[in-house]
Amino acid sequence: MVKLYHLTMSHDIEETERLITAKDEHKDSKCSGFWCQLVLSLLGIIFLFTGIIMADLWPQIFNNIMKNKLELENNTLTYEYWKQIPAPLYMSVYLFNWTNPEATLQTGDLPILQQLGPYVFRENRTKVNVTFNNNETVTYMQLKSWKFDQSLSNGSLSDHVTTINIVVNILGEKLQAMNKHWIYVLTNYYLKLSNIDKPYVTRTAGELIFDGYEDPLLDIAIKLKAFFPIDIPLKKVGWLYGMNMSTSSDGLINMYTGKNDIENVGLVNSVNYNTKLNVFKKDCSYSNASAGDLWPEHTAMQPNMSIYIPGICSAITMQNNNYSFINGIKGVEFVAGSDVFNNTCYCPTSGCLLPGVRSLSLCGDNALPIFISFPHFYLADKSYRKSVIGMNPNRTLHEFKMILENDYSIPLRVYARIQFNIKAKPIKELKILKNMPEMYLPVFWFSESFEIPRNMSDQLLIVTNVLPMFVPYVWLILALSGCIMLVFSTYLWVSKKNESFTILDPM
C-alpha cells in the first residue's frame, strides 16, 4: 500500500512538473508571438502609408530632382555635357559653282549654279573662359574646330569652284559710297596694271571654305588707301576663314544657369556685354532666346521657341510643328517658317528687301555685301530664285528645324541650315563690274546637324519614360504589401485573443 502511494505520488509530481514546464514554454511562445505581431503591424502601417504618400508625391519629387539635374552648376554631369558636347556634331558645306560667268557678263545669260558637296566636317565645341557670376549667370566663350571627313563627303577639298569675287563687290560698294569720278579712274588704272579684269575667281573648295586665299585686289586696296580712306576688313578671302580653332566667332556670351529659376536656364542674357541688338527693333533682339545647348524645361510645350545664332547676330524663332520619335523618345518638332526672314525689323537704311533674304550689314561692324536666307531660297520670294538657274528648294533638305524632348526640352535632333548670298550689281564707272547683272548670287550654304547618340538616348529613355511610369507602381506594391501585413497581423491578434489553454494545477 505504501509502495502504491509512493508510485502514485511520484507520477503526480512528474505530471505536475510537465504541466508547469509546458505552461512556462507557452508563456515564452506567447511573449515571442506578441513582439512578432507588433513588428508586423508596425511595418504594415509604415509600408501602407509610405506607399500611399509616395505614390501621390512621386511626380512632384521626380520633377524637382530633374530640375536640379537640369540646372547648370559647376562640377556636375550637366556642366560636363554643356562644356563639351559628348556627341558628334557635323557641318556639311555645299558650294555653288558658277558654270557660265562669261556668258552671264557678255550676253546677259542667267547665272547657272551647280551645287557641289557636301564637304563634311566633324565639329568640336568646347566652352572656355567659363565664369559663374553672382547673378545666376555664366559667362563663356566657345572654341570651335572643324576637321574634314572625306568618308562622309561628296568631293574633296581640292575641287575647283568658280564663284563671284567678293573683294570686287566690297570695293565697288565703298567706291559708290564716295561717288568721286577720279577715284574710279584711279581704281580702273590699278586694276588694269595688275591685269585684273574678271569679277569672279576659281579656287579650291578648301581655300573657299576655311583655308582662305590671298587676293591681289587686297593689295590694290592697300595702294588706294594712300589716296583716300578705304578699308576692306579681310586678310585672306574665304567664307569661313579665321573661324577654325577660334573663340572669337561667337563672341562673349552670358547666359542664365537656371539657379533659383529653372525656367531661365540656357537663355541668353547678353552677347559682348550687350543685352540686345540696338540696331534692331525690340522684338528682334535676342531676349528669351536660348544659346542652343540648354533649354527651359517647358519650352517643348510652348507654341514657339527661339535660338540665338551668333553668325547672324540675331535669334531665329521656330514654331511648334508636330511630334516625332527619336530612338523611342517622344520629341516635339520646331521649324523655322517664312516669318524668320520677312524683314519686318531687319531693314537696312537703303530699304526693306523682299521676304526671304536678310542683310548682314547691320550685324556689328560688318560692311560686307552678304545676305542670308534658307538654302536654295526656300520660303523666299520667287524673284530671288528666278534670277539664277539651279535653285531647287525642298522642305526636307532645306528646312531649319529642331526636335526637343517632350517633357524636359532636351535637344534630340538639330538641322541648322543657312545660305549665304552675295549682292551683285552693275557699276558703270568701275569697268570690272560694268556688265554685272543685279542679283543675289548664292555662294554656299551649310547644315549643322546633331542627333543624340544611342547610349545617351537609352539613358534619357529610362529617366523620362521608365522611371515616371514604373516607380509609382513600386509605391503601390509597397502600399499593398503593407495592407496585407496589417490584415495578417490583425488576424493573428484576433486568433490569439480567442485561444484558450487549460493547464492542470496540482494544488
Side-chain angles (χ1 to χ4, degrees):
M1 189 71 180
V2 174
K3 184 177 180 180
L4 180 62
Y5 173 78
H6 281 294
L7 288 172
T8 303
M9 287 295 295
S10 176
H11 175 74
D12 291 343
I13 291 171
E14 288 178 359
E15 184 65 20
T16 301
E17 288 178 350
R18 186 184 66 78
L19 291 174
I20 292 172
T21 302
K23 186 177 180 181
D24 291 339
E25 288 177 355
H26 175 72
K27 286 183 178 180
D28 292 341
S29 175
K30 186 176 181 180
C31 183
S32 176
F34 169 79
W35 288 111
C36 288
Q37 293 170 47
L38 181 63
V39 170
L40 188 65
S41 299
L42 290 175
L43 287 177
I45 294 171
I46 293 172
F47 284 10
L48 176 62
F49 284 97
T50 300
I52 293 173
I53 293 171
M54 289 302 296
D56 181 57
L57 296 180
W58 171 248
Q60 183 178 349
I61 294 172
F62 180 78
N63 196 41
N64 290 334
I65 293 172
M66 285 300 297
K67 285 182 178 180
N68 290 332
K69 293 293 183 182
L70 293 173
E71 176 187 317
L72 186 63
E73 189 176 358
N74 201 359
N75 298 322
T76 62
L77 187 61
T78 300
Y79 174 78
E80 294 302 321
Y81 283 175
W82 170 81
K83 187 175 182 181
Q84 186 164 14
I85 300 175
L89 291 170
Y90 296 95
M91 183 174 71
S92 300
V93 179
Y94 299 82
L95 298 173
F96 288 110
N97 181 40
W98 188 1
T99 62
N100 66 334
E102 288 297 329
T104 300
L105 297 171
Q106 294 176 8
T107 62
D109 291 358
L110 290 178
I112 299 175
L113 302 180
Q114 174 194 15
Q115 179 176 283
L116 302 179
Y119 302 95
V120 181
F121 297 82
R122 290 181 180 269
E123 183 176 345
N124 182 65
R125 298 182 181 185
T126 304
K127 310 297 190 301
V128 297
N129 302 330
V130 178
T131 303
F132 284 88
N133 307 305
N134 294 329
N135 62 344
E136 285 77 50
T137 65
V138 60
T139 304
Y140 65 93
M141 301 183 80
Q142 193 157 221
L143 175 65
K144 291 184 175 181
S145 63
W146 290 270
K147 186 176 181 181
F148 182 63
D149 192 327
Q150 180 68 70
S151 64
L152 299 177
S153 302
N154 180 26
S156 71
L157 295 181
S158 60
D159 293 344
H160 284 83
V161 184
T162 299
T163 188
I164 194 168
N165 189 335
I166 189 174
V167 183
V168 174
N169 284 268
I170 297 172
L171 186 60
E173 292 271 351
K174 292 186 175 294
L175 296 183
Q176 270 198 322
M178 296 177 190
N179 197 24
K180 303 287 185 181
H181 177 69
W182 67 271
I183 294 177
Y184 286 114
V185 173
L186 184 62
T187 304
N188 287 329
Y189 168 75
Y190 275 122
L191 289 173
K192 185 176 181 180
L193 192 65
S194 301
N195 200 27
I196 301 174
D197 58 355
K198 296 178 180 179
Y200 58 90
V201 294
T202 299
R203 293 287 177 174
T204 66
E207 289 175 321
L208 289 172
I209 299 174
F210 281 117
D211 297 342
Y213 63 91
E214 295 180 354
D215 194 301
L217 274 171
L218 295 175
D219 295 330
I220 293 178
I222 294 174
K223 293 177 181 178
L224 292 172
K225 207 170 182 179
F227 300 95
F228 51 85
I230 184 172
D231 182 37
I232 296 181
L234 297 174
K235 294 180 179 179
K236 276 188 172 184
V237 183
W239 306 128
L240 303 177
Y241 173 72
M243 290 181 59
N244 204 352
M245 295 302 297
S246 170
T247 59
S248 60
S249 59
D250 287 359
L252 186 68
I253 298 176
N254 177 262
M255 78 171 196
Y256 292 101
T257 63
K259 187 177 181 179
N260 298 329
D261 188 357
I262 196 63
E263 290 304 314
N264 282 336
V265 64
L267 298 183
V268 175
N269 179 47
S270 69
V271 177
N272 295 326
Y273 304 105
N274 294 319
T275 56
K276 66 178 181 179
L277 300 178
N278 296 322
V279 294
F280 297 137
K281 294 180 182 178
K282 183 179 179 181
D283 60 335
C284 300
S285 67
Y286 46 73
S287 58
N288 297 322
S290 169
D293 298 317
L294 299 174
W295 299 81
E297 178 185 5
H298 297 109
T299 300
M301 303 176 188
Q302 304 303 317
N304 56 62
M305 60 88 159
S306 298
I307 179 173
Y308 175 72
I309 302 178
I312 64 175
C313 59
S314 64
I316 281 184
T317 299
M318 291 177 277
Q319 308 300 321
N320 188 316
N321 188 34
N322 53 31
Y323 293 101
S324 59
F325 288 85
I326 307 296
N327 297 337
I329 302 174
K330 185 179 181 181
V332 180
E333 186 176 286
F334 287 84
V335 299
S338 58
D339 59 324
V340 170
F341 296 137
N342 60 8
N343 295 315
T344 56
C345 56
Y346 295 93
C347 295
T349 54
S350 57
C352 290
L353 302 172
L354 291 173
V357 171
R358 181 195 297 173
S359 171
L360 284 186
S361 62
L362 298 179
C363 193
D365 298 324
N366 182 13
L368 304 181
I370 297 178
F371 295 75
I372 57 173
S373 67
F374 292 128
H376 288 248
F377 294 122
Y378 172 66
L379 299 180
D381 189 88
K382 293 180 180 179
S383 61
Y384 291 114
R385 59 178 179 267
K386 286 183 177 180
S387 63
V388 297
I389 297 174
M391 297 292 98
N392 300 293
N394 181 293
R395 178 180 179 179
T396 303
L397 299 176
H398 305 140
E399 190 174 50
F400 192 116
K401 65 181 179 180
M402 176 177 290
I403 299 175
L404 300 180
E405 189 273 328
N406 183 66
D407 296 315
Y408 299 100
S409 303
I410 298 169
L412 301 178
R413 180 181 289 167
V414 178
Y415 290 110
R417 295 156 171 161
I418 297 291
Q419 178 171 294
F420 286 75
N421 314 281
I422 302 299
K423 183 181 180 181
K425 61 182 179 181
I427 300 178
K428 293 182 179 179
E429 294 85 353
L430 192 61
K431 292 182 179 179
I432 195 171
L433 292 176
K434 182 176 62 175
N435 297 321
M436 178 67 73
E438 186 164 351
M439 59 181 172
Y440 293 88
L441 187 71
V443 289
F444 81 100
W445 68 275
F446 71 86
S447 173
E448 285 189 308
S449 61
F450 161 83
E451 181 169 326
I452 188 169
R454 190 77 199 195
N455 63 323
M456 291 181 65
S457 66
D458 288 344
Q459 296 175 22
L460 185 59
L461 189 64
I462 293 173
V463 171
T464 59
N465 287 38
V466 177
L467 290 181
M469 184 181 298
F470 289 103
V471 170
Y473 287 105
V474 174
W475 300 125
L476 290 176
I477 291 172
L478 185 67
L480 182 60
S481 301
C483 185
I484 293 172
M485 293 168 71
L486 278 176
V487 170
F488 184 64
S489 65
T490 302
Y491 168 77
L492 292 179
W493 283 114
V494 172
S495 63
K496 290 293 182 182
K497 186 177 181 180
N498 293 332
E499 251 184 10
S500 61
F501 297 94
T502 302
I503 302 175
L504 295 176
D505 191 342
M507 301 302 294

